[in-house]
Every structure is written in structure tokens, then in C-alpha cells.
Amino acid sequence: MTSAPSEPSVAPAVDPDCVFCRIVAGEIPSDRVHEDERVIAFRDLHPQAPLHVLVVPRVHSRDVRELAADPELLAHVVEVAGSVAAEHARGDFRLVFNTGESAGQTVFHVHAHVLAGELAEGEL
Ligand code: AMP
Ligand code: ZN
């Protein structure tokens, strides 16, 4: 007699359809400038400014509206953005959360764009 495989009791840690979950898991390489237990930060593949880093919570949520349910994590994202700009630029920075498809969001795993220096001609 064969038994059916049991259902997993927890959701998978890595969403195979989410590119940033795969970067967090180390399955896709990234140029990391910061990592801690809650977030990672890495250089954007298509920089729009001399410093263009994405700060990404390790845990998947869709956008900054969902992230706001965890104010401490949201504050930590802002804090890390500030330290990345202090370390890799002159300290001042823009922080952009594209939220929703019509606002230009293309990766639906929340991330903050940290932009410093003169912006390239582009969307942001
Ligand atoms: P958004 O359009 O706000 O969703 O931003 C997604 C950003 O992720 C874009 O600026 C992309 O250039 C960037 N991006 C997508 N895939 C990668 C990757 N594998 N490594 C680094 N940046 C990426
Ligand atoms: Zn994800």
C-alpha cells in the first residue's frame, strides 16, 4: 500500500517565482553592500544614479503597503538606506518605493531604491 506524500506544514522559505527571494537565498548572485538578519542590500543591475542600491527585507511581502504592517522592519529598511548612503555616497539620498504596476513596480517583493548622486535620465 502506498501513502500519499504529506503536505508541507509551513510555506516554502523561497518563492521560486520571486527573483528577490532567490537573491536572498543566494540562488541568484548579487553585488551585496550590506546584509543582516532582517534585510540585504545590493547594487541595482541597471543603475539610475551613481549609487543605486536596493534594500530588500529577507521575508517576502508584496510592497511597502504590506511592509507598513511591520513598522520596525520598515524603519530598519530606512536606517540601512541611510548607512549605505553614508558609506558609499556623500550621505544624502533619495528613497523610492515603486508601489503597484502603474507606478513602475516590476518586482513584487518589497524593496527600497536608494539613489545618490546625479540621476541618469530615466523613470525614477
Ligand atoms: P521596481 O521597478 O521598483 O520593481 O525595481 C526593480 C529593480 O530591480 C529594477 O531597478 C531592476 O533593475 C532591479 N533588478 C531586477 N533584477 C535584478 C537583479 N538580479 N539584480 C539586481 N537588480 C535587479
Ligand atoms: Zn520574494
Side-chain angles (χ1 to χ4, degrees):
M1 197 163 88
T2 56
S3 59
S6 59
E7 291 293 319
S9 57
V10 292
V14 179
D15 177 345
D17 297 326
C18 174
V19 64
F20 286 179
C21 278
R22 297 186 66 196
I23 287 175
V24 166
E27 291 177 10
I28 295 175
S30 63
D31 186 359
R32 294 189 188 198
V33 298
H34 173 90
E35 58 186 302
D36 61 41
E37 69 284 356
R38 286 178 286 171
V39 303
I40 65 170
F42 53 89
R43 293 183 190 277
D44 196 290
L45 215 49
H46 303 291
Q48 301 295 318
L51 178 71
H52 187 173
V53 164
L54 304 174
V55 183
V56 179
R58 289 182 183 273
V59 171
H60 183 100
S61 62
R62 182 178 173 82
D63 59 33
V64 73
R65 292 173 291 213
E66 277 192 25
L67 180 60
D70 187 344
E72 276 188 23
L73 182 55
L74 176 56
H76 186 59
V77 168
V78 175
E79 213 171 35
V80 168
S83 56
V84 167
E87 191 177 338
H88 296 278
R90 292 177 162 202
D92 293 346
F93 62 96
R94 293 175 66 187
L95 195 60
V96 175
F97 290 93
N98 292 328
T99 306
E101 206 171 327
S102 69
Q105 188 175 5
T106 58
V107 177
F108 290 87
H109 177 137
V110 67
H111 52 281
H113 295 259
V114 183
L115 299 138
E118 201 178 322
L119 290 181
E121 303 249 333
E123 297 294 301
L124 291 168

